[in-house]
Protein backbone atom coordinates (compact mmCIF):
# COMPACT_ATOMS: atom_id res chain seq x y z
CA UNK A 1 0.00 0.00 0.00
CA UNK A 2 1.33 3.45 -0.94
CA UNK A 3 1.95 5.96 1.86
CA UNK A 4 -0.89 8.26 0.76
CA UNK A 5 -3.40 5.36 0.66
CA UNK A 6 -2.15 4.21 4.06
CA UNK A 7 -2.90 7.69 5.48
CA UNK A 8 -6.42 7.53 4.02
CA UNK A 9 -6.98 4.16 5.68
CA UNK A 10 -5.66 5.49 8.98
CA UNK A 11 -7.93 8.54 8.74
CA UNK A 12 -10.85 6.23 8.04
CA UNK A 13 -10.14 4.26 11.23
CA UNK A 14 -9.75 7.45 13.28
CA UNK A 15 -13.06 8.83 11.89
CA UNK A 16 -14.66 5.52 12.82
CA UNK A 17 -13.48 6.00 16.39
CA UNK A 18 -10.82 3.27 16.32
CA UNK A 19 -7.85 4.49 18.34
CA UNK A 20 -5.99 1.30 19.10
CA UNK A 21 -5.05 -1.52 16.74
CA UNK A 22 -3.13 -4.19 18.59
CA UNK A 23 -3.13 -7.09 16.18
CA UNK A 24 -4.75 -8.26 12.98
CA UNK A 25 -4.78 -11.82 14.33
CA UNK A 26 -8.21 -12.23 15.74
CA UNK A 27 -9.73 -15.50 16.84
CA UNK A 28 -13.45 -15.87 17.00
CA UNK A 29 -14.47 -19.20 18.53
CA UNK A 30 -15.78 -21.44 15.80
CA UNK A 31 -13.89 -19.63 13.05
CA UNK A 32 -10.76 -21.30 11.84
CA UNK A 33 -7.69 -19.13 11.82
CA UNK A 34 -5.49 -20.67 9.16
CA UNK A 35 -5.85 -22.65 5.99
CA UNK A 36 -6.22 -26.32 6.84
CA UNK A 37 -5.44 -28.78 4.10
CA UNK A 38 -4.92 -32.09 5.90
CA UNK A 39 -6.71 -34.12 8.55
CA UNK A 40 -3.59 -33.99 10.73
CA UNK A 41 -3.63 -30.17 10.63
CA UNK A 42 -7.32 -30.11 11.43
CA UNK A 43 -6.84 -32.44 14.39
CA UNK A 44 -4.06 -30.21 15.70
CA UNK A 45 -6.21 -27.10 15.42
CA UNK A 46 -9.18 -28.80 17.09
CA UNK A 47 -6.96 -30.06 19.90
CA UNK A 48 -6.02 -26.45 20.70
CA UNK A 49 -9.58 -25.13 20.93
CA UNK A 50 -10.21 -23.71 24.35
CA UNK A 51 -13.20 -25.57 25.79
CA UNK A 52 -14.05 -26.79 29.31
CA UNK A 53 -14.92 -30.16 27.74
CA UNK A 54 -11.19 -30.86 27.68
CA UNK A 55 -10.97 -30.65 31.46
CA UNK A 56 -13.08 -33.77 31.96
CA UNK A 57 -12.09 -35.81 28.91
CA UNK A 58 -9.12 -38.16 28.60
CA UNK A 59 -8.54 -38.11 24.86
CA UNK A 60 -9.54 -36.19 21.78
CA UNK A 61 -11.77 -38.37 19.57
CA UNK A 62 -11.22 -37.16 16.02
CA UNK A 63 -12.19 -39.61 13.27
CA UNK A 64 -11.53 -43.12 12.05
CA UNK A 65 -11.76 -45.13 8.86
CA UNK A 66 -11.17 -44.62 5.18
CA UNK A 67 -10.09 -41.05 4.47
CA UNK A 68 -11.24 -41.43 0.86
CA UNK A 69 -14.61 -42.91 1.78
CA UNK A 70 -17.75 -42.05 -0.17
CA UNK A 71 -19.82 -42.65 2.94
CA UNK A 72 -19.26 -40.66 6.13
CA UNK A 73 -21.05 -41.46 9.39
CA UNK A 74 -21.57 -38.53 11.72
CA UNK A 75 -22.29 -39.24 15.38
CA UNK A 76 -22.99 -37.00 18.34
CA UNK A 77 -20.10 -37.15 20.79
CA UNK A 78 -17.74 -39.70 22.33
CA UNK A 79 -18.84 -41.81 25.28
CA UNK A 80 -16.69 -43.37 27.98
CA UNK A 81 -15.11 -46.06 25.79
CA UNK A 82 -14.41 -43.65 22.94
CA UNK A 83 -12.86 -41.23 25.43
CA UNK A 84 -10.67 -44.02 26.80
CA UNK A 85 -9.36 -45.11 23.39
CA UNK A 86 -9.61 -41.85 21.41
CA UNK A 87 -11.62 -43.63 18.69
CA UNK A 88 -15.27 -43.00 17.68
CA UNK A 89 -17.90 -45.69 18.20
CA UNK A 90 -15.94 -48.40 20.00
CA UNK A 91 -18.47 -48.97 22.83
CA UNK A 92 -21.84 -50.74 22.75
CA UNK A 93 -23.24 -48.34 20.12
CA UNK A 94 -20.15 -48.94 18.02
CA UNK A 95 -20.60 -52.71 18.14
CA UNK A 96 -24.14 -52.30 16.87
CA UNK A 97 -22.94 -49.85 14.23
CA UNK A 98 -20.49 -52.50 12.97
CA UNK A 99 -23.40 -54.94 12.63
CA UNK A 100 -25.47 -52.37 10.73
CA UNK A 101 -22.54 -51.78 8.38
CA UNK A 102 -22.12 -55.54 7.89
CA UNK A 103 -25.84 -55.86 7.08
CA UNK A 104 -25.29 -53.66 4.01
CA UNK A 105 -22.01 -55.31 3.05
CA UNK A 106 -19.67 -52.70 4.54
CA UNK A 107 -17.08 -52.52 7.28
CA UNK A 108 -15.15 -49.73 8.98
CA UNK A 109 -12.36 -49.79 6.42
CA UNK A 110 -14.82 -48.60 3.77
CA UNK A 111 -16.43 -45.70 5.60
CA UNK A 112 -15.24 -42.72 7.64
CA UNK A 113 -16.66 -42.07 11.12
CA UNK A 114 -16.57 -38.89 13.16
CA UNK A 115 -18.68 -36.93 15.65
CA UNK A 116 -20.02 -33.42 16.12
CA UNK A 117 -17.99 -33.05 19.33
CA UNK A 118 -14.39 -34.30 19.58
CA UNK A 119 -14.48 -34.45 23.39
CA UNK A 120 -16.72 -36.49 25.68
CA UNK A 121 -19.31 -34.32 27.44
CA UNK A 122 -19.21 -34.97 31.21
CA UNK A 123 -21.53 -37.82 32.19
CA UNK A 124 -22.41 -38.32 28.50
CA UNK A 125 -24.79 -35.38 28.58
CA UNK A 126 -26.19 -34.05 25.31
CA UNK A 127 -23.96 -31.40 23.68
CA UNK A 128 -25.12 -27.85 24.35
CA UNK A 129 -26.05 -25.48 21.52
CA UNK A 130 -22.95 -23.46 22.36
CA UNK A 131 -20.69 -26.52 22.02
CA UNK A 132 -22.33 -27.42 18.73
CA UNK A 133 -21.86 -23.87 17.41
CA UNK A 134 -18.22 -23.91 18.48
CA UNK A 135 -17.38 -27.17 16.72
CA UNK A 136 -19.70 -27.04 13.68
CA UNK A 137 -17.24 -25.12 11.45
CA UNK A 138 -14.61 -27.78 12.16
CA UNK A 139 -17.09 -30.56 11.41
CA UNK A 140 -17.72 -28.89 8.04
CA UNK A 141 -13.98 -28.72 7.39
CA UNK A 142 -13.62 -32.35 8.43
CA UNK A 143 -16.34 -33.33 5.98
CA UNK A 144 -14.78 -31.18 3.24
CA UNK A 145 -11.41 -32.93 3.69
CA UNK A 146 -13.00 -36.38 3.35
CA UNK A 147 -15.34 -35.17 0.59
CA UNK A 148 -17.89 -38.01 0.85
CA UNK A 149 -20.84 -38.49 -1.51
CA UNK A 150 -23.21 -39.35 1.31
CA UNK A 151 -23.34 -38.52 5.02
CA UNK A 152 -25.45 -40.55 7.41
CA UNK A 153 -26.29 -38.46 10.45
CA UNK A 154 -26.64 -40.78 13.41
CA UNK A 155 -29.35 -39.45 15.70
CA UNK A 156 -31.17 -36.23 16.41
CA UNK A 157 -28.23 -34.22 17.77
CA UNK A 158 -25.95 -34.82 14.79
CA UNK A 159 -28.84 -34.14 12.43
CA UNK A 160 -29.85 -30.89 14.13
CA UNK A 161 -26.26 -29.74 14.31
CA UNK A 162 -25.46 -30.41 10.66
CA UNK A 163 -28.77 -29.30 9.15
CA UNK A 164 -29.25 -26.42 11.63
CA UNK A 165 -32.85 -27.41 11.99
CA UNK A 166 -35.24 -27.62 14.89
CA UNK A 167 -37.10 -30.54 13.31
CA UNK A 168 -36.82 -33.82 15.18
CA UNK A 169 -35.20 -37.03 13.99
CA UNK A 170 -38.53 -38.85 13.69
CA UNK A 171 -39.64 -36.31 11.07
CA UNK A 172 -36.31 -36.18 9.25
CA UNK A 173 -35.26 -39.84 9.35
CA UNK A 174 -34.74 -41.39 5.96
CA UNK A 175 -35.26 -38.14 4.03
CA UNK A 176 -32.35 -37.31 1.77
CA UNK A 177 -31.39 -33.68 2.11
CA UNK A 178 -28.62 -31.20 1.27
CA UNK A 179 -27.12 -28.08 2.81
CA UNK A 180 -25.28 -25.27 1.03
CA UNK A 181 -21.99 -25.80 2.84
CA UNK A 182 -21.37 -29.34 1.55
CA UNK A 183 -21.96 -31.23 -1.67
CA UNK A 184 -22.81 -34.61 -0.09
CA UNK A 185 -26.33 -35.96 0.24
CA UNK A 186 -27.32 -36.18 3.91
CA UNK A 187 -29.44 -39.03 5.26
CA UNK A 188 -30.54 -38.71 8.88
CA UNK A 189 -31.24 -41.92 10.75
CA UNK A 190 -31.67 -43.13 14.32
CA UNK A 191 -28.64 -43.37 16.60
CA UNK A 192 -27.39 -46.90 17.40
CA UNK A 193 -27.79 -46.10 21.14
CA UNK A 194 -31.49 -45.52 20.48
CA UNK A 195 -31.68 -48.87 18.65
CA UNK A 196 -30.22 -50.59 21.71
CA UNK A 197 -33.26 -49.31 23.61
CA UNK A 198 -35.74 -49.65 20.73
CA UNK A 199 -34.65 -52.63 18.60
CA UNK A 200 -37.92 -52.54 16.65
CA UNK A 201 -36.54 -49.51 14.75
CA UNK A 202 -33.57 -51.46 13.36
CA UNK A 203 -35.33 -52.09 10.06
CA UNK A 204 -35.69 -48.33 9.43
CA UNK A 205 -32.00 -47.78 10.03
CA UNK A 206 -31.10 -50.70 7.80
CA UNK A 207 -33.25 -49.19 5.03
CA UNK A 208 -31.49 -45.84 5.50
CA UNK A 209 -28.08 -47.48 5.19
CA UNK A 210 -29.23 -49.36 2.09
CA UNK A 211 -30.42 -46.06 0.67
CA UNK A 212 -27.03 -44.50 1.38
CA UNK A 213 -25.20 -47.40 -0.28
CA UNK A 214 -27.46 -46.98 -3.28
CA UNK A 215 -26.75 -43.26 -3.54
CA UNK A 216 -23.01 -43.86 -3.21
CA UNK A 217 -23.27 -46.37 -6.03
CA UNK A 218 -25.28 -44.01 -8.24
CA UNK A 219 -23.68 -40.61 -7.70
CA UNK A 220 -20.73 -39.42 -9.76
N1 LIG B 1 -22.07 -42.18 20.36
C1 LIG B 1 -21.71 -41.24 19.46
O1 LIG B 1 -22.54 -40.44 19.00
N2 LIG B 1 -20.44 -41.22 19.07
C2 LIG B 1 -19.53 -42.06 19.51
O2 LIG B 1 -18.37 -41.96 19.09
C3 LIG B 1 -19.93 -43.03 20.45
C4 LIG B 1 -21.20 -43.08 20.86
Amino acid sequence: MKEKEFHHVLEWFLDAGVSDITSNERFIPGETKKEISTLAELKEVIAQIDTPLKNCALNIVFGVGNEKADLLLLGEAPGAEEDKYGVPFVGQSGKLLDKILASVGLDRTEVYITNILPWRPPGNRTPTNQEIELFRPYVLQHIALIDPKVIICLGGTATKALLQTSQGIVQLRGKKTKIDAISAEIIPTFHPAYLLRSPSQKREVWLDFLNAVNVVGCVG
Side-chain angles (χ1 to χ4, degrees):
M1 191 184 291
K2 296 201 179 95
E3 197 182 331
K4 202 169 156 197
E5 286 169 40
F6 181 68
H7 278 284
H8 282 310
V9 174
L10 267 186
E11 268 171 40
W12 187 90
F13 276 121
L14 288 171
D15 286 347
V18 177
S19 58
D20 196 14
I21 299 174
T22 50
S23 163
N24 63 1
E25 282 251 325
R26 73 196 171 111
F27 180 68
I28 297 172
E31 270 193 8
T32 50
K33 226 163 116 183
K34 62 169 189 175
E35 274 299 308
I36 294 167
S37 52
T38 67
L39 289 168
E41 281 171 6
L42 180 63
K43 185 174 178 183
E44 207 179 297
V45 168
I46 291 175
Q48 282 165 14
I49 295 173
D50 189 20
T51 165
L53 288 174
K54 277 158 107 170
N55 303 338
C56 308
L58 298 172
N59 285 300
I60 187 167
V61 180
F62 182 67
V64 70
N66 187 334
E67 297 176 4
K68 293 189 166 56
D70 286 334
L71 178 58
L72 183 146
L73 310 181
L74 183 64
E76 175 178 321
E81 291 294 296
E82 290 76 21
D83 184 36
K84 188 168 162 193
Y85 296 106
V87 180
F89 283 99
V90 289
Q92 287 308 309
S93 295
K95 291 193 174 71
L96 182 53
L97 186 59
D98 288 341
K99 287 185 189 163
I100 299 167
L101 284 171
S103 75
V104 295
L106 293 174
D107 63 36
R108 277 182 186 239
T109 64
E110 293 165 283
V111 300
Y112 190 84
I113 309 176
T114 186
N115 284 305
I116 296 290
L117 296 194
W119 304 100
R120 179 191 183 202
N124 293 345
R125 64 159 170 73
T126 305
T128 64
N129 289 341
Q130 210 184 3
E131 287 161 354
I132 290 170
E133 280 307 302
L134 176 61
F135 286 103
R136 189 174 183 274
Y138 301 95
V139 172
L140 294 180
Q141 287 209 331
H142 208 150
I143 292 169
L145 289 170
I146 302 296
D147 194 21
K149 290 176 180 165
V150 181
I151 297 167
I152 295 184
C153 275
L154 297 166
T157 303
T159 302
K160 275 186 190 171
L162 191 63
L163 301 186
Q164 295 188 301
T165 176
S166 57
Q167 279 190 293
I169 186 66
V170 175
Q171 279 166 290
L172 295 170
R173 199 230 101 234
K175 295 188 183 134
K176 272 191 294 218
T177 180
K178 285 206 157 203
I179 56 170
D180 287 344
I182 43 186
S183 59
E185 295 263 17
I186 300 162
I187 303 179
T189 195
F190 295 131
H191 194 285
Y194 170 71
L195 295 185
L196 290 170
R197 300 189 301 272
S198 306
S200 62
Q201 302 298 313
K202 280 182 184 171
R203 187 169 182 277
E204 271 62 42
V205 174
W206 177 66
L207 290 173
D208 295 338
F209 272 71
L210 275 183
N211 193 5
V213 169
N214 236 350
V215 177
V216 165
C218 295
V219 177

